[in-house]
Amino acid sequence: MISKIYIELRLHYLKFGTIVQFRTQELADFWAVSVKQTQRRLRHFSDDGLLTYEPGRGRGHLSQIHFLNDFRVELTDTMRHAITINDTDVMFYLFQLGVPTSWLAQFRRQLTNLLGLQVQDDHKRILRQVSTRKITSLDPVNVAIHHEYELAMQLGDTLIKYDNGLQPGLAHHWTSNQSATIWTFYLRKGVQFHNGKEMTSLDVKKTFERVQQRVGDRYWQLINLVKIVPRATDVVEFYFSASEPLFARFVVDAKYIIIDCDSSIDNLHWIGTGAFEVVESTNDIFRLKAFNNYYGFRAMIDEVQYLLVDDDNIAKHLFNPEDYGNYDYIKKQRAIPGAEFVIANMNRKTIIQNVLVREALYNIIDMRYFDRHLGDIASHYNREDSIADHSKSMQQAQNLIRKSGYSGEPIVLGVLSHIKSAIDMAKGIQERAQQAGIYIEILYYSFTNDYYSDVLEQQVDLVMLADVPMNDDEFAYIEFLTSPTLLVQKMLTIDLKNDLQQMVIQFKQAPTIEQRHTIYLTIDNWLTDHFFMIYTVHAVRDVYIHQFLANGEYGNDYKNAWQMPKGHKKSTTERDM
């Protein structure tokens, strides 16, 4: 089997054919090694019968390589060997190469058959999937990405669950006094953490104190919290300085997943009570295993594997979405809750501080001139409140720029590097901005390397992103505004966040849904009228869901997956269940 270094060499000279003349220093620079190391590599490939190598004689003379084998044949032989020994790392690496898709097309079905639901001889069910992005954070307090939020909820549990209303979780019952200043939660007995320790009210107290320490004393949900008192091992009380009638709804959020705070905690590893636990996390694989002592129904899936690849080309070279139906996936069109948006970084002391420039950008980002397949035009966070603004125009943008005093300085727009639709929209905004006389510079960022750092706060004037709420109710919007890990809190100045905090407190204190909705619109209008926030679309997406996920949603709820895929051959044991 040929090595990745040799494959890199063939790709580097692919357009030159089988005989290549080159300068050794140039090849050394490409490999980022010394000239001597480069020569040793070439001699090694020569000894293996892959090529002949003639070093250049004297100063200025070119060296020469003669490749002895057809590169396509070399790749297909390597793929066959990788499939034989089940080396998924090599398989995915080969599918990511910039070679004609037809070269490896014959292996697509074989590789796809390794994915999806696998039932082993011992009836162990493994759901194996591809992820083109590494898991960055599963810490319940830090989690900011929808997929990672979902995974955190598989690893741990909250006191109360949200499922078309409030449902018992780790607490089987809860009450408050008449003024809603004391909340009492009655815990399930015998619930175990993944390390075998039994959960008690002390773990609840420590978890909430950890959250309070991380989000700050002024966080809107906990601002009135005075103390937490474990009354018994299975009873815990929360005391507030002011009425908190909605506190039971707040605790369904992932940040309040009860963890064993006495064990070590990092971004990917912590001890919870959930239906699954993390058993492996490397650069190549992320693996979850069902927790046999889970207090609820034991999951039907025994193991979930994410095979990690670092190049989105895998999706193009391996999967044609229309072919998913040939395997275990079904296609659904879903109106994604929440909204996509562009937000201004008000902490940057650049031209973005100029409200006339921001208003010009609002006119430039007119979704009537973009791909309508992206979704419905948004003017608010909630789809039902959005109305397309037909008064936007390029003429207005140009007039505003003339009044603003803008003098050609670049405005940096941050866009996710792995989402083609976002990149296309960013380029469209760039082109329309140029028509209005604004120079947009695009900076590509990733969740893995940039989102949890200060790159966005320090280097961009605008950020394009989407918010997909986990619990799609009236509080999703407030969580979007107030979560320390999401963009609103990162992009607004301290003074603006103080103004926002006052409105959020009014929202929390409002006694009815109707009054809270009015305040939500007031907040959203404040953000959009000052052009801090420019909504773009409410996304509509074709999503491809493995049939084993019986809930049929745009999610990864493995603990509630009970439905066997259509056409799946059941074992004798499964038929008899």
Side-chain angles (χ1 to χ4, degrees):
M1 186 172 70
I2 55 177
S3 69
K4 291 182 180 180
I5 294 174
Y6 174 75
I7 292 172
E8 291 171 0
L9 176 68
R10 291 300 308 257
L11 288 172
H12 187 55
Y13 292 124
L14 186 60
K15 65 181 180 181
F16 295 100
T18 58
I19 298 177
V20 180
Q21 292 186 326
F22 64 98
R23 297 187 186 280
T24 308
Q25 184 61 59
E26 292 175 355
L27 183 55
D29 293 341
F30 168 72
W31 270 332
V33 297
S34 68
V35 169
K36 288 187 177 181
Q37 286 176 301
T38 299
Q39 293 169 333
R40 280 198 294 269
R41 286 181 177 183
L42 294 174
R43 292 190 186 101
H44 174 73
F45 295 146
S46 178
D47 292 341
D48 288 345
L50 298 172
L51 54 79
T52 61
Y53 166 50
E54 298 178 14
R57 304 296 180 184
R59 184 180 297 273
H61 289 80
L62 298 177
S63 300
Q64 180 172 290
I65 295 172
H66 181 194
F67 294 109
L68 301 178
N69 305 308
D70 186 301
F71 187 37
R72 178 174 182 173
V73 173
E74 289 178 322
L75 291 182
T76 54
D77 287 347
T78 301
M79 179 64 84
R80 287 192 183 93
H81 179 71
I83 290 173
T84 300
I85 64 174
N86 198 26
D87 189 340
T88 54
D89 180 41
V90 171
M91 287 185 246
F92 288 128
Y93 169 75
L94 294 176
F95 270 111
Q96 294 174 69
L97 299 178
V99 298
T101 305
S102 60
W103 285 18
L104 299 173
Q106 61 182 303
F107 301 106
R108 267 184 51 208
R109 180 176 292 275
Q110 290 170 275
L111 182 51
T112 306
N113 286 341
L114 294 173
L115 305 175
L117 181 66
Q118 309 293 318
V119 181
Q120 299 184 338
D121 292 339
D122 59 357
H123 307 301
K124 180 179 181 180
R125 299 183 186 90
I126 298 175
L127 186 60
R128 188 177 293 143
Q129 303 176 92
V130 172
S131 176
T132 55
R133 187 179 55 77
K134 294 179 182 178
I135 308 299
T136 48
S137 179
L138 295 175
D139 183 332
V141 183
N142 285 344
V143 67
I145 301 166
H146 189 268
H147 178 221
E148 294 175 358
Y149 187 113
E150 292 178 310
L151 288 178
M153 296 299 283
Q154 303 297 303
L155 305 177
D157 302 284
T158 50
L159 294 176
I160 301 174
K161 298 185 293 186
Y162 187 87
D163 185 5
N164 293 319
L166 301 182
Q167 306 293 339
L170 292 176
H172 60 79
H173 186 61
W174 57 95
T175 62
S176 73
N177 64 355
Q178 189 171 3
S179 62
T181 56
I182 303 174
W183 281 86
T184 305
F185 293 85
Y186 300 89
L187 308 180
R188 297 179 189 272
K189 293 184 178 181
V191 175
Q192 290 186 19
F193 287 109
H194 296 151
N195 58 5
K197 171 186 167 183
E198 185 170 330
M199 182 206 70
T200 71
S201 56
L202 187 58
D203 296 300
V204 176
K205 173 181 168 66
K206 289 181 178 180
T207 294
F208 275 79
E209 288 175 343
R210 176 177 184 264
V211 175
Q212 193 173 34
Q213 180 184 21
R214 297 285 293 276
V215 301
D217 293 337
R218 297 188 71 249
Y219 183 64
W220 69 288
Q221 293 178 353
L222 303 177
I223 191 170
N224 295 318
L225 181 61
V226 175
K227 62 180 178 178
I228 305 169
V229 180
R231 288 298 180 196
T233 57
D234 61 337
V235 180
V236 60
E237 292 180 342
F238 292 77
Y239 288 79
F240 297 90
S241 60
S243 180
E244 289 287 357
L246 303 174
F247 182 65
R249 167 57 184 83
F250 299 159
V251 303
V252 307
D253 190 73
K255 70 171 66 66
Y256 301 116
I257 287 173
I258 306 304
I259 64 177
D260 180 7
C261 292
D262 296 328
S263 300
S264 62
I265 302 170
D266 62 35
N267 273 341
L268 294 181
H269 301 93
W270 42 272
I271 304 298
T273 62
F276 287 87
E277 56 184 313
V278 177
V279 292
E280 185 177 6
S281 178
T282 69
N283 289 331
D284 302 317
I285 190 169
F286 181 78
R287 190 159 62 93
L288 307 177
K289 183 179 74 172
F291 180 41
N292 289 327
N293 294 325
Y294 183 54
Y295 79 89
F297 289 115
R298 201 271 193 194
M300 181 175 283
I301 300 175
D302 297 293
E303 190 172 300
V304 178
Q305 296 179 2
Y306 284 93
L307 305 177
L308 305 176
V309 294
D310 60 2
D311 189 334
D312 269 1
N313 283 332
I314 190 71
K316 290 188 291 184
H317 293 302
L318 176 58
F319 296 123
N320 177 349
E322 296 303 323
D323 289 343
Y324 272 131
N326 296 332
Y327 307 110
D328 287 334
Y329 287 81
I330 55 177
K331 178 180 176 180
K332 286 180 176 286
Q333 187 175 80
R334 182 168 185 252
I336 308 300
E340 298 184 12
F341 58 89
V342 176
I343 188 168
N345 184 357
M346 299 308 295
N347 288 300
R348 285 259 289 179
K349 305 304 180 186
T350 65
I351 195 64
I352 203 64
Q353 297 290 334
N354 189 318
V355 67
L356 295 177
V357 171
R358 298 199 303 273
E359 186 177 357
L361 289 165
Y362 170 76
N363 280 273
I364 288 164
I365 304 174
D366 186 346
M367 298 312 297
R368 293 176 297 172
Y369 297 95
F370 290 80
D371 185 356
R372 295 301 298 271
H373 291 96
L374 294 172
D376 303 317
I377 295 176
S379 64
H380 283 287
Y381 183 84
N382 291 329
R383 187 183 300 265
E384 58 270 22
D385 298 309
S386 285
I387 301 173
D389 183 355
H390 294 283
S391 68
K392 289 184 177 183
S393 73
M394 184 61 69
Q395 183 64 52
Q396 286 193 71
Q398 292 168 340
N399 292 339
L400 288 162
I401 286 300
R402 279 194 290 270
K403 295 177 184 177
S404 70
Y406 173 76
S407 56
E409 54 266 55
I411 295 176
V412 182
L413 170 63
V415 60
L416 278 171
S417 60
H418 69 285
I419 299 180
K420 184 178 183 301
S421 59
I423 294 170
D424 290 344
M425 186 187 293
K427 291 179 178 178
I429 292 172
Q430 187 181 48
E431 291 173 4
R432 284 181 55 80
Q434 189 173 11
Q435 295 175 35
I438 298 177
Y439 172 50
I440 294 280
E441 184 179 294
I442 298 175
L443 183 146
Y444 297 100
Y445 71 93
S446 71
F447 282 125
T448 304
N449 298 321
D450 305 315
Y451 186 85
Y452 292 99
S453 71
D454 64 355
V455 167
L456 297 180
E457 291 98 314
Q458 297 295 324
Q459 298 184 24
V460 304
D461 301 299
L462 302 165
V463 186
M464 180 188 299
L465 200 57
D467 186 68
V468 182
M470 191 68 181
N471 300 307
D472 188 18
D473 67 355
E474 59 179 331
F475 297 98
Y477 175 72
I478 303 300
E479 185 63 25
F480 165 60
L481 299 181
T482 59
S483 171
T485 61
L486 299 182
L487 280 179
V488 175
Q489 289 293 308
K490 293 183 177 185
M491 297 290 107
L492 296 184
T493 63
I494 292 176
D495 288 343
L496 291 174
K497 286 190 286 189
N498 287 338
D499 293 341
L500 176 61
Q501 173 87 340
Q502 293 178 18
M503 290 184 280
V504 168
I505 296 300
Q506 291 174 10
F507 176 95
K508 186 174 75 165
Q509 293 173 342
T512 68
I513 291 176
E514 292 76 17
Q515 287 173 307
R516 289 195 290 272
H517 185 75
T518 298
I519 297 170
Y520 141 70
L521 289 175
T522 299
I523 298 172
D524 218 30
N525 288 334
W526 173 73
L527 287 169
T528 56
D529 289 350
H530 291 85
F531 310 104
F532 303 139
M533 181 84 72
I534 303 171
Y535 289 109
T536 56
V537 296
H538 300 290
V540 177
R541 295 283 186 269
D542 288 333
V543 294
Y544 300 88
I545 305 167
H546 197 279
Q547 295 180 40
F548 199 67
L549 301 179
N551 55 7
E553 292 294 328
Y554 179 65
N556 299 281
D557 189 4
Y558 305 116
K559 64 184 176 185
N560 291 318
W562 304 107
Q563 175 177 304
M564 298 302 290
K566 296 175 183 178
H568 172 69
K569 294 181 180 179
K570 296 182 179 179
S571 67
T572 302
T573 303
E574 291 167 343
R575 288 195 295 267
D576 293 342
M577 288 176 64

